[in-house]
Amino acid sequence: MSLARGASAQKTQEILIRGHRVKALEPSQLDALELAKGLRSHLLIEWDTPINSRGDRFGFNNDYIAWVERGPHDAILWVNHEYPDPLSLHGSDYDHPELRTRAQIEIERKAVGGTLLRIRRAASGKPWNFVYDDPLNRRIDATTPIPFAWPEKIAGAHTATGTLGNCAGGKTPWGTVLSCEENYPDVIPDKGKKSLYGWEHHLDLPSEHYGWVVEINPLTGAAKKLVALGRFFHEGATYARAKNGRAVIYMGDDRTDQCVYKFISDRSDSLERGTLYVANLSSGRWIPLKRETHPELKKRFATETDVLIHAREAGLLAGGTTLDRPEDIEIDPVTGAVIIACTNNKDQGRPHGSLLRIDEAKGDAGALEFTSSVWIAGGLESGLTCPDNLAFDRHGALWVTSDIPGSASGKAAYTAFGNNSMFYVPLKGADAGKAFRVANAPIEAELTGPCFSPDGKTLALSVQHPGEESDVGKELHSHWPRGGQEMPRPSVVMIEGEWLG
């Protein structure tokens, strides 16, 4: 049953959260990170900040954040860096990628991938800060050699050069981080095609080496690309445990009219071998992408490795249900339901998207049958639009960030919503299913990667691509976070407050 009912969250001004009356923010188009009363933030790190004496610097367009606890006042953050921006990095544009220089491309290669960052605080209630030159601080970028966790070669090699397009991700119970490669053709196109950035004019890299889930050991930086999880526009990789102990990973393909996938491992502590499935919502079944058991796949692909390399095509051939840009996926800690953010599908008249709910048979993540429903529909009624990243807090409430394109912000279907925002969605009580706006992003920015500390008292949040629609030679649209006439800088902020934990 959909929870989108009752008065619009745009009209509901206050909500009681753990004894605190919280007034929802109004939509905004200010160039500021605005927070609901009772929340406060401080900037942890911004793009291009040195992280060690080896010359590594914090990358561009930070996205997914994973919090790896080492103690109550000590942690490691993994932060994705999704894509470069020529205007910010070297004052050029996208219009003539064939004119890009090798030096510009090398700067961009170093700006993407991910960062491992040691953070500490003096005591509870004190601010978190990153530790400069900590031995654990390191970059993994588009130049880092990363092996494939697979016995066969991928496009002629056992190792890829770097990782890129790193959007959302996940964590495993054995202590590793999963980073997901999404829009790789923008950077490394299929052979004979052109990219947005022009790297192909200087680099000969096969596109088949990108579009994977990358597993990283945060203590050593060792990384590997998980071929068994398939190749597509990975938005996230969310872990669950099957009743038989096997590891399960839920994944969305972030493109209009693409599918949701599930991987069930052969072992409880490894993602290197297992079976990839695609969801068919009509039948309520997970369909295995196994060449030998599916006639269409056997006809189209020569090997199981080919199926995994072309998992998107295989998923559609096998009967996967197409969805409205399935992005982040999280597991409801109370019900065990699988919640999927379907951002939007403007071509199909669904500009606000929805949250899709999947209930696995007998509550088992390893089941091959399920039921599904639109859980919360986006729009003025629920107060939610373009859901993207999701996070549940310790009390079972859902936090949702929006992904309104910068070019559409404040226009047409999104006029009532202003800048991108973060919403608090209670799942019980009179306000269940209503979205309360608790943060507004700066101009043309997106709030991404919400990640709670284990004690629930700190929310790490990425502020990505402020001023992303700015043009070369013209006035910048945003100057966040430094203000004045400064270049906007993607950054990570730490949010705390009286009603957060």
Side-chain angles (χ1 to χ4, degrees):
M1 181 181 70
S2 171
L3 291 175
R5 63 187 190 275
S8 164
Q10 300 289 326
K11 299 174 183 177
T12 305
Q13 294 300 312
E14 288 188 344
I15 180 174
L16 190 66
I17 304 177
R18 293 183 283 283
H20 297 274
R21 288 211 164 272
V22 179
K23 184 177 180 180
L25 295 174
E26 296 292 327
S28 170
Q29 290 186 299
L30 296 177
D31 190 28
L33 176 62
E34 299 178 292
L35 299 176
K37 187 177 180 180
L39 297 180
R40 60 187 181 276
S41 72
H42 80 274
L43 190 145
L44 178 74
I45 192 167
E46 62 180 32
W47 157 58
D48 208 35
T49 299
I51 63 170
N52 57 37
S53 56
R54 300 191 302 273
D56 290 334
R57 307 177 83 87
F58 191 67
F60 196 76
N61 269 344
N62 37 272
D63 200 308
Y64 171 74
I65 301 170
W67 190 299
V68 181
E69 187 176 37
R70 292 176 62 81
H73 310 307
D74 187 3
I76 303 170
L77 292 189
W78 166 268
V79 184
N80 278 355
H81 300 293
E82 188 175 4
Y83 63 93
D85 174 54
L87 171 59
S88 299
L89 295 177
H90 30 252
S92 65
D93 58 30
Y94 300 91
D95 293 342
H96 299 286
E98 72 280 3
L99 300 180
R100 314 291 301 290
T101 67
R102 179 63 184 258
Q104 289 175 330
I105 288 167
E106 289 306 311
I107 290 171
E108 293 172 7
R109 294 176 78 192
K110 289 290 187 180
V112 298
T115 298
L116 284 165
L117 197 68
R118 186 75 170 269
I119 62 170
R120 285 199 180 114
R121 62 180 176 179
S124 297
K126 297 293 184 180
W128 288 94
N129 295 291
F130 85 91
V131 183
Y132 173 74
D133 216 18
D134 188 276
L136 294 175
N137 291 356
R138 70 182 78 234
R139 288 295 319 282
I140 297 173
D141 58 34
T143 69
T144 307
I146 303 177
F148 293 103
W150 196 247
E152 298 177 31
K153 291 182 177 180
I154 304 298
H158 287 296
T159 300
T161 300
T163 182
L164 46 85
N166 306 75
C167 194
K171 287 172 61 179
T172 69
W174 51 88
T176 58
V177 174
L178 305 177
S179 179
C180 295
E181 299 179 335
E182 189 191 354
N183 295 308
Y184 61 89
D186 287 350
V187 186
I188 308 295
D190 292 335
K191 204 162 190 65
K193 295 187 178 181
K194 294 181 179 181
S195 75
L196 190 61
Y197 297 95
W199 289 19
E200 68 273 17
H201 298 289
H202 298 274
L203 302 170
D204 185 18
L205 299 172
S207 65
E208 293 88 350
H209 284 190
Y210 309 94
W212 304 101
V213 176
V214 184
E215 185 174 9
I216 303 111
N217 183 327
L219 299 179
T220 66
K224 55 189 175 184
K225 299 202 176 189
L226 300 171
V227 174
L229 274 63
R231 173 176 168 265
F232 45 85
F233 284 14
H234 284 278
E235 170 71 17
T238 301
Y239 172 90
R241 183 182 174 90
K243 287 188 175 180
N244 64 6
R246 294 186 180 186
V248 177
I249 302 293
Y250 293 94
M251 302 169 286
D253 185 350
D254 183 12
R255 269 297 177 269
T256 299
D257 299 323
Q258 294 301 330
C259 303
V260 164
Y261 298 82
K262 177 168 81 171
F263 172 79
I264 302 178
S265 70
D266 288 346
R267 290 172 40 185
S268 62
D269 60 351
S270 171
L271 302 177
E272 294 191 12
R273 300 290 184 275
T275 302
L276 183 64
Y277 299 83
V278 68
N280 182 294
L281 271 61
S282 298
S283 65
R285 293 192 61 82
W286 292 99
I287 303 170
L289 298 186
K290 284 289 189 182
R291 179 181 176 274
E292 293 304 319
T293 61
H294 200 290
E296 290 297 321
L297 300 185
K298 195 168 186 178
K299 186 189 308 181
R300 171 66 180 83
F301 301 106
T303 65
E304 191 63 30
T305 299
D306 287 339
V307 172
L308 295 170
I309 290 173
H310 303 284
R312 170 183 285 175
E313 183 182 351
L316 294 172
L317 278 174
T321 299
T322 57
L323 298 169
D324 299 343
R325 288 186 60 200
E327 295 209 49
D328 201 7
I329 301 174
E330 294 295 334
I331 311 298
D332 185 332
V334 176
T335 67
V338 181
I339 308 302
I340 304 166
C342 295
T343 297
N344 57 39
N345 191 332
K346 290 180 281 187
D347 292 341
Q348 298 292 334
R350 295 186 289 274
H352 298 295
S354 64
L355 295 179
L356 177 70
R357 172 175 175 150
I358 284 180
D359 289 282
E360 299 278 27
K362 298 181 180 179
D364 182 7
L368 300 185
E369 296 182 347
F370 61 87
T371 59
S372 64
S373 61
V374 174
W375 192 46
I376 300 177
L380 289 173
E381 181 70 12
S382 65
L384 184 67
T385 189
C386 300
D388 184 348
N389 292 157
L390 311 173
F392 282 95
D393 65 24
R394 285 163 58 96
H395 302 274
L398 180 63
W399 296 64
V400 184
T401 64
S402 65
D403 184 10
I404 303 170
S407 58
S409 179
K411 300 175 184 176
Y414 308 114
T415 302
F417 292 91
N419 293 347
N420 274 310
S421 305
M422 181 166 63
F423 300 89
Y424 174 89
V425 185
L427 301 185
K428 56 186 178 181
D431 293 316
K434 297 175 188 174
F436 293 84
R437 186 187 306 263
V438 293
N440 285 321
I443 290 174
E444 294 165 4
E446 183 186 351
L447 302 177
T448 60
C451 174
F452 285 97
S453 60
D455 65 7
K457 295 181 179 180
T458 303
L459 176 64
L461 185 67
S462 285
V463 182
Q464 193 187 53
H465 58 67
E468 70 168 339
E469 293 296 312
S470 301
D471 295 319
V472 172
K474 297 182 180 179
E475 184 177 353
L476 296 169
H477 295 183
S478 172
H479 302 285
W480 188 88
R482 297 184 177 186
Q485 295 302 308
E486 291 276 355
M487 175 75 72
R489 307 179 82 84
S491 304
V492 172
V493 298
M494 304 296 250
I495 298 174
E496 296 178 323
E498 58 190 21
W499 53 269
L500 188 60

